[in-house]
Amino acid sequence: MNTLTKLVERARGPLGAPVELDFGAGLPGELGALLSELNGFALFNYGVQVFHAGPSGLGPELGAWNAPDTWKDTYGDLADGLLCFAQDLFGVQFAIEQGRRVVTFDSETGERENVGPDLDSWAGWLLEQPDVRGVRSFATVWQDTHGALGHDERLLPVKPFVLGGEYEVDNLVVRDAVTAMRIRGQLARQLRDLPDGTPISFVIT
């Protein structure tokens, strides 16, 4: 049994109707096979959400989520070349970069971190530290206190984490996932290439 299969065994889903997807070879093909098996799902008490494909389903739809005018336009070219297929509780995106590797995309800064060459590596990376990388503990605490999040909702810090905001309940609000990404995109564009400590003006428009 590979690591991706172990991860899927922990999933709650599907979030979408059954589909048969062919995204070609390589990593996109792996994603198509995964969603053909389980079309969208949640992990770690909804700390991680994998998007469904097709018009019928709960939460973000893969194609619509990756459309430029959904939220990527607010990042300029920071999100270019990414096929975002999942996100965590705080809007960190899990993405296939240029069809070659899986990366994380920090929604507040636009920075990318290499996770591995395939979805099995991504699954192993999550399972190594589910409370941190999968946000399992915080997702559990939040929902035990405030109730379950909607499928289209994520948590947005009042004071962004990159500007010193705390990972605390009092610093977080529930927002529609698209709205939250568009807010973060404005921040990421201001922070781009700035040295640490540079004053910025963070205005939500």
Side-chain angles (χ1 to χ4, degrees):
M1 180 186 299
N2 64 22
T3 310
L4 182 59
T5 299
K6 293 178 182 177
L7 185 72
V8 172
E9 285 183 344
R10 300 185 175 204
R12 295 168 60 184
L15 299 178
V19 290
E20 291 292 334
L21 301 172
D22 184 359
F23 292 159
L27 258 174
E30 290 183 24
L31 178 61
L34 174 63
L35 297 181
S36 296
E37 177 184 352
L38 189 64
N39 188 19
F41 50 91
L43 295 160
F44 311 129
N45 202 16
Y46 237 98
V48 172
Q49 175 190 51
V50 177
F51 309 134
H52 74 277
S56 176
L58 301 171
E61 192 275 330
L62 181 70
W65 186 256
N66 284 278
D69 59 356
T70 300
W71 58 266
K72 288 184 177 180
D73 57 325
T74 63
Y75 284 83
D77 62 0
L78 287 170
D80 285 359
L82 296 181
L83 173 60
C84 299
F85 64 88
Q87 64 181 338
D88 77 7
L89 184 70
F90 303 119
V92 173
Q93 300 294 302
F94 301 106
I96 296 172
E97 182 185 58
Q98 301 289 356
R100 297 193 304 268
R101 63 177 186 167
V102 179
V103 300
T104 60
F105 176 75
D106 187 314
S107 54
E108 291 190 353
T109 66
E111 294 177 352
R112 305 178 188 191
E113 177 186 339
N114 181 40
V115 172
D118 50 33
L119 291 182
D120 200 57
S121 299
W122 170 71
W125 181 86
L126 283 175
L127 288 171
E128 281 179 2
Q129 296 182 357
D131 289 324
V132 177
R133 295 169 176 171
V135 203
R136 180 178 60 187
S137 294
F138 200 98
T140 301
V141 169
W142 175 273
Q143 293 179 99
D144 284 349
T145 304
H146 299 280
L149 292 172
H151 294 282
D152 289 300
E153 295 176 332
R154 298 281 85 180
L155 296 183
L156 181 71
V158 177
K159 182 178 182 180
F161 302 132
V162 71
L163 300 182
E166 299 290 337
Y167 286 84
E168 300 289 347
V169 170
D170 291 345
N171 188 45
L172 293 162
V173 292
V174 177
R175 289 291 182 267
D176 172 79
V178 171
T179 300
M181 290 300 292
R182 296 190 68 83
I183 291 171
R184 295 181 181 107
Q186 298 172 52
L187 174 63
R189 289 181 71 174
Q190 288 198 64
L191 292 176
R192 184 177 189 174
D193 300 326
L194 290 180
D196 289 346
T198 302
I200 70 165
S201 174
F202 182 44
V203 180
I204 298 172
T205 59

